Amino acid sequence: RPHGGLGRPSSRSSSGGRVPGGETSEVELGVEYMYEVKSSEGPWYLGTIHRLKRDGRYEGDLHGGGCSVHYPSIKRHEIRRARRQAAKRLASSRGDSRARRPMRR
């Protein structure tokens, strides 16, 4: 398991690799609305990746339809960067203040 400074687990996986769309990237753990994950039914949903498991797969939650579904075994090629508009739309529908712009006076 990769570790950051001071003996704390790192927030990034060490499994950099090709992701759909041809970009190379590492998966950041615990960041809401950053990724889309392919569901077992086929469509892609916004997701939060929680951890990299010993077998090389990831564990996370898919968000959509007003609920979250836990996925215990996500393959790396089933994770891609979320499109910005979809992530903002979900964040604002959940009342997430990070999705709102600050008010100007």
Side-chain angles (χ1 to χ4, degrees):
R1 180 171 165 138
H3 280 73
L6 303 174
R8 291 187 210 134
S10 172
S11 65
R12 293 179 182 252
S13 82
S14 60
S15 64
R18 307 295 283 159
V19 292
E23 59 185 83
T24 302
S25 121
E26 292 182 353
V27 174
E28 291 189 45
L29 305 178
V31 181
E32 288 189 337
Y33 318 124
M34 181 175 256
Y35 298 103
E36 290 179 324
V37 178
K38 189 171 186 178
S39 74
S40 56
E41 290 80 33
W44 292 82
Y45 290 96
L46 285 171
T48 302
I49 307 302
H50 296 294
R51 73 180 186 113
L52 172 62
K53 297 171 24 167
R54 290 182 188 183
D55 64 3
R57 293 185 182 202
Y58 293 85
E59 186 174 321
D61 295 319
L62 277 65
H63 311 289
C67 65
S68 293
V69 178
H70 181 73
Y71 269 60
S73 186
I74 305 167
K75 297 175 185 172
R76 180 63 184 96
H77 70 272
E78 297 171 333
I79 300 170
R80 68 183 184 194
R81 279 262 197 203
R83 288 173 281 161
R84 205 172 179 93
Q85 289 179 339
K88 281 185 178 180
R89 207 170 33 248
L90 180 65
S92 64
S93 72
R94 299 178 99 194
D96 190 334
S97 62
R98 291 173 290 183
R100 297 183 194 149
R101 291 186 178 182
M103 292 176 32
R104 294 185 183 188
R105 295 181 191 207

